[in-house]
Amino acid sequence: MSRIIYTLTDEAPMLATYSFLPIVQAYARTAGVEVETRDISLAARIISQFPERLTDEQRQGDALAELGALAKTPEANIIKLPNISASMPQLKAAVAELRSQGYDLPDYPDSPATDDERDVKARYDRVKGSAVNPVLREGNSDRRAPLSVKNYARKHPHRMGAWTAESRTNVATMGVDDFRSNEKTVVIPADDTLRIEHVGADGSTTVLRESIPVLAGEVVDGTVLHVAALHEFLAAQIARAEAEGVLFSVHLKATMMKISDPILFGHVIRAFFPRVFEQYGDDLRAAGLDPANGLNGILQGLAALPNGDEIKAAFDQGIADGPDLAMVDSDKGVTNLHVPSDVIVDASMPAMIRTSGHMWGPDGDEHDTLAVIPDSSYAGIYQAVLDDCRANGAFDPATMGSVPNVGLMAQAAEEYGSHDKTFEIPADGTVRVLNQAGDVLIEHEVATGDIWRACQTKDVPIRDWVKLAVTRARASSTPAVFWLDESRAHDATLIELVRGYLAEHDTDGLQIEILSPVDAMAFSLERIRRGEDTISVTGNVLRDYLTDLFPIMELGTSAKMLSVVPLINGGGLFETGAGGSAPKHVTQLVKADYLRWDSLGEFLALAVSFEHLATATGNASAQVLADTLDAATGRFLDENRSPGRAIGTIDNRGSHFYLAQYWADELAGQTVDTELAAAFGPLAASLHADEEAIVAELIAPQGSPVDIGGYYHPDAAKTEAVMRPSATLNAALATL
């Protein structure tokens, strides 16, 4: 029997899986396809790290490692749902929940002092941040809006806020003394092993990373952001926001860039409350209240301090004295500085652009905003969009073109601070990268507290990335633009490689450009306004940024993107869109038994997964599943069966029922596979005959609180009962 692996993840996608997966498994099994699951949720990843502390019933194997090995084989066919890229507060909250459920897990040691504590910290660090994606993504990314989704968005355009030339919303970025400006790059000539060391001003040498294997042709970068310059920059932007009468906001990526960006977030808080940290910094430090975890973590911890009320009053005064802060939740007083994972740049900036360049202020109204993005590597792309909207008005989803993406991410292609080569520098001195022969390849002068990082990108993924770009450009007859800046060290090296590898392909008749990110954005926006499509070919960070930015403008959400990862060794990884507001959906379910999560991304990924399986294994019935699911999804969109916006309408579970009904109709009506048609004829008939009863059973529980037994590690039996409330639908599926 052919096999697909369906991942169990977190939050709203996990809840939706309890409802949708039984449908998938029943339909697939009828066509000889087994859909298995692997749990790669944050809770499961934590549990897998401490088997010696747990009972036999509690232990879970390392499913992520298993899937990482599978992704390197031609047999891989993995459907990957959005997972938590855990910030430190999320990691600690998940550990606390598991401990409350009887799991004997250790506390996270913020400042490990023993070998045991260092071991515990290392285990936890393996699961926080973007721990999943680098393991599974053994191929480069192909993300695009399916035609059915794009057509629906044009017929039913979502609301875009109006823009005026008077908008004072802008992006502020360092431009000097940051990661981009200090970057140095080398191409490794032969297989080697690198070492990173810090040489102190006193001549002492500390090895930061002892052994980093590298391959011939690998691109290695090193760079540093100087915190003294950062604080000057932040102080200037706080004053600027006050002077211009706009909201102050910061936009980082403290989940994927799990080392560098939480540190930056902490510096923003220090800069916004300079008097508080000057007067009470020692008290906060002694209590372990780290601003890198956000203002909320500090405020919650003040109750345990004897002078906690005094410090709380100082923070309140700091907010009153500074510019108005952008708010995550005005009603609850949650500011832009409260939680690092609340202001992830690739989601928060598009939301601002979509809302007339506004964020919410403390008064509960929308206001122009100064968006602070400290590192200048890609901040300019957002300023380009703001300037375009100021000049030309809001984009029109009914007419605008599309910007699919080919992203360089295979084999942990690094371009950010989520890996083990990022360091907060302990003392003045020099950081050096040396090869095995002792030659210094990269060197930076550093000061105490600076953030230094190195990144690696292997040659095979770069070659595959260029190949995929050419393939997509030819398949769609669409111009492709490499977003690379010759004035940046990393990009200048890639430009040379790209030009060489393009020469190995037939590019006759294709329009392939290499432009800086700002110029590429301007080029793409001009085409978008004419209704024309442009393929963006980017590195890993821009892949994340653009595949939120453009879909949110075009479709209203990035969750409706088709995300295919053609694995280098022949398998396939099929991703289902972004997590986005998943936490809010979970809260709504627990309070009112209503789940607004839209599983369209799962429908799209499943169809191409079946298609890949049919090609790889020769299972013709799998191709029929793919074709009929695609047709059913088109009907699903045309008949607007996505979850409603209010209790009393169908939610996620109701949308799954209608997808199942339409899919059964298509399978029963097709003539390619008569056995499948015969198998699904009775089911299609019963789903129509019992439609009223099923919908009533799905809606009836709405409005009342439910218990799923946990946020990060819900109880399986309780969650299944909540997510499968229709006995009639369950019985119908069982007939297959």
Side-chain angles (χ1 to χ4, degrees):
M1 182 172 273
S2 306
R3 182 179 74 156
I4 292 172
I5 305 294
Y6 201 97
T7 56
L8 306 178
T9 57
D10 305 283
E11 297 178 326
M14 175 275 299
L15 295 173
T17 296
Y18 275 90
S19 169
F20 184 51
L21 186 59
I23 298 169
V24 175
Q25 290 175 322
Y27 282 46
R29 193 176 297 113
T30 309
V33 178
E34 193 67 34
V35 180
E36 302 177 5
T37 61
R38 296 293 185 276
D39 190 349
I40 59 170
S41 65
L42 174 59
R45 302 196 315 264
I46 291 170
I47 291 168
S48 73
Q49 295 299 311
F50 299 95
E52 76 282 0
R53 300 178 65 108
L54 306 177
T55 66
D56 290 343
E57 293 75 19
Q58 291 174 332
R59 290 190 191 110
Q60 288 184 232
D62 192 341
L64 179 58
E66 177 192 348
L67 292 187
L70 178 63
K72 297 176 182 178
T73 69
E75 295 76 32
N77 190 318
I78 304 168
I79 296 177
K80 189 256 173 188
L81 278 71
N83 62 277
I84 291 175
S85 293
S87 64
M88 186 58 69
Q90 288 173 309
L91 176 67
K92 291 183 176 180
V95 171
E97 180 177 298
L98 287 165
R99 292 178 65 171
S100 74
Q101 296 173 347
Y103 288 79
D104 180 25
L105 296 169
D107 287 324
Y108 182 91
D110 292 297
S111 302
T114 67
D115 287 344
D116 285 345
E117 289 180 344
R118 281 186 282 273
D119 174 62
V120 168
K121 184 177 186 299
R123 294 196 209 188
Y124 278 131
D125 287 349
R126 285 197 287 269
V127 304
K128 75 179 184 183
S130 187
V132 172
N133 293 338
V135 175
L136 297 185
R137 288 172 172 169
E138 283 291 321
N140 291 309
S141 170
D142 175 7
R143 281 188 174 180
R144 57 189 185 273
L147 185 60
S148 58
V149 173
K150 186 66 174 174
N151 287 340
Y152 177 81
R154 284 176 168 151
K155 290 180 192 174
H156 309 278
H158 63 90
R159 179 183 171 276
M160 294 281 279
W163 274 79
T164 70
E166 288 72 40
S167 169
R168 293 170 296 154
T169 293
N170 285 291
V171 172
T173 191
M174 291 178 69
V176 295
D177 288 325
D178 61 357
F179 291 128
R180 182 195 183 281
S181 59
N182 291 324
E183 191 170 62
K184 298 178 181 180
T185 301
V186 295
V187 178
I188 304 301
D191 293 2
D192 207 336
T193 302
L194 307 184
R195 181 175 77 256
I196 304 174
E197 62 183 30
H198 173 265
V199 180
D202 61 358
S204 62
T205 299
T206 303
V207 176
L208 301 177
R209 276 295 307 277
E210 179 63 49
S211 178
I212 305 170
V214 289
L215 302 176
E218 193 157 348
V219 177
V220 176
D221 308 313
T223 188
V224 62
L225 184 144
H226 296 301
V227 297
L230 173 66
H231 274 269
E232 289 182 12
F233 163 76
L234 292 172
Q237 303 319 309
I238 292 166
R240 175 184 173 185
E242 180 79 44
E244 294 181 2
V246 297
L247 302 178
F248 176 87
S249 65
V250 63
H251 303 262
L252 293 162
K253 197 166 178 68
T255 50
M256 186 171 84
M257 303 183 193
K258 65 184 180 184
I259 298 174
S260 62
D261 282 28
I263 296 172
L264 293 174
F265 196 85
H267 282 297
V268 175
I269 292 176
R270 289 187 182 94
F272 200 89
F273 300 99
R275 294 186 184 89
V276 176
F277 283 90
E278 181 180 345
Q279 187 171 357
Y280 301 107
D282 291 342
D283 295 339
L284 296 174
R285 199 161 29 251
L289 300 179
D290 187 349
N293 295 330
L295 182 59
N296 189 57
I298 295 176
L299 297 178
Q300 287 186 343
L302 291 180
L305 276 69
N307 58 345
D309 290 343
E310 181 182 331
I311 300 175
K312 171 65 166 57
F315 274 112
D316 291 342
Q317 188 62 48
I319 290 176
D321 291 343
D324 284 344
L325 279 169
M327 306 297 287
V328 172
D329 191 329
S330 301
D331 293 338
K332 296 181 179 179
V334 180
T335 74
N336 180 266
L337 302 182
H338 265 62
V339 181
S341 55
D342 278 348
V343 284
I344 303 304
V345 59
D346 35 342
S348 58
M349 287 300 297
M352 172 198 288
I353 292 164
R354 183 182 167 186
T355 315
S356 309
H358 295 159
M359 293 186 74
W360 296 100
D363 59 0
D365 289 332
E366 297 177 18
H367 298 278
D368 290 339
T369 305
L370 181 63
V372 174
I373 305 174
D375 179 46
S376 60
S377 295
Y378 301 120
I381 67 167
Y382 293 115
Q383 184 67 49
V385 180
L386 298 177
D387 291 341
D388 183 273
C389 290
R390 232 187 312 266
N392 301 303
F395 295 93
D396 184 355
T399 60
M400 66 188 294
S402 188
V403 183
N405 179 264
V406 172
L408 173 59
M409 67 177 192
Q411 298 181 357
E414 294 171 346
E415 199 187 357
Y416 47 81
S418 70
H419 39 79
D420 56 0
K421 293 176 292 295
T422 300
F423 309 96
E424 189 171 23
I425 301 303
D428 294 359
T430 304
V431 172
R432 309 189 302 186
V433 180
L434 300 91
N435 62 14
Q436 209 160 13
D439 303 320
V440 176
L441 305 182
I442 295 172
E443 186 174 41
H444 290 95
E445 296 297 317
V446 294
T448 303
D450 286 352
I451 308 167
W452 188 95
R453 73 185 188 204
C455 306
Q456 297 170 253
T457 308
K458 295 176 177 59
D459 185 57
V460 168
I462 297 172
R463 291 175 180 269
D464 182 77
W465 177 56
V466 173
K467 175 185 174 183
L468 183 58
V470 173
T471 300
R472 290 300 307 145
R474 188 167 297 285
S476 58
S477 300
T478 303
V481 180
F482 285 84
W483 293 45
L484 297 170
D485 188 345
E486 62 183 3
S487 68
R488 178 185 168 192
H490 172 86
D491 286 10
T493 299
L494 283 188
I495 287 172
E496 289 185 29
L497 295 172
V498 166
R499 285 175 174 154
Y501 297 153
L502 280 173
E504 299 173 0
H505 298 279
D506 176 13
T507 58
D508 287 350
L510 302 181
Q511 182 180 356
I512 297 179
E513 310 278 352
I514 299 175
L515 299 173
S516 73
V518 171
D519 290 342
M521 178 61 79
F523 178 82
S524 301
L525 294 179
E526 182 180 350
R527 290 178 56 83
I528 277 176
R529 290 191 180 275
R530 296 200 302 262
E532 298 172 344
D533 299 343
T534 314
I535 298 171
S536 58
V537 190
T538 71
N540 203 7
V541 173
L542 266 180
R543 177 194 62 82
D544 258 2
Y545 290 5
L546 300 187
T547 56
D548 270 323
L549 172 64
F550 289 116
I552 286 173
M553 293 195 297
E554 296 173 39
L555 314 174
T557 175
S558 58
K560 296 181 179 180
M561 290 286 280
L562 180 62
S563 184
V564 178
V565 183
L567 300 175
I568 289 174
N569 289 328
L573 175 67
F574 308 96
E575 300 183 324
T576 67
S581 57
K584 295 180 181 178
H585 292 328
V586 180
T587 300
Q588 187 175 22
L589 177 89
V590 172
K591 286 184 177 179
D593 200 358
Y594 191 85
L595 184 66
R596 271 192 60 196
W597 175 258
D598 190 341
S599 290
L600 180 63
E602 288 98 290
F603 307 161
L604 300 172
L606 185 60
V608 288
S609 171
F610 282 133
E611 184 174 17
H612 176 83
L613 189 72
T615 302
T617 67
N619 183 338
S621 295
Q623 186 62 55
V624 174
L625 287 178
D627 294 339
T628 53
L629 176 54
D630 189 54
T633 302
R635 183 178 168 191
F636 175 94
L637 288 169
D638 286 340
E639 300 197 14
N640 193 24
R641 296 301 189 181
S642 292
R645 302 187 69 86
I647 291 174
T649 60
I650 62 165
D651 72 347
N652 176 264
R653 293 160 287 192
S655 72
H656 292 163
F657 160 66
Y658 280 106
L659 190 281
Q661 185 189 73
Y662 300 156
W663 195 5
D665 287 345
E666 295 293 339
L667 283 162
Q670 53 81 31
T671 58
V672 175
D673 190 320
T674 55
E675 288 188 14
L676 278 181
F680 280 91
L683 177 64
S686 69
L687 293 181
H688 282 281
D690 296 329
E691 177 179 341
E692 187 175 338
I694 291 171
V695 171
E697 289 171 351
L698 293 172
I699 290 179
Q702 293 179 10
S704 301
V706 294
D707 175 20
I708 58 174
Y711 183 91
Y712 296 97
H713 191 242
D715 178 89
K718 290 180 179 180
T719 308
E720 182 176 7
V722 169
M723 294 306 300
R724 300 191 70 195
S726 172
T728 307
L729 175 58
N730 299 343
L733 293 174
T735 64
L736 285 175

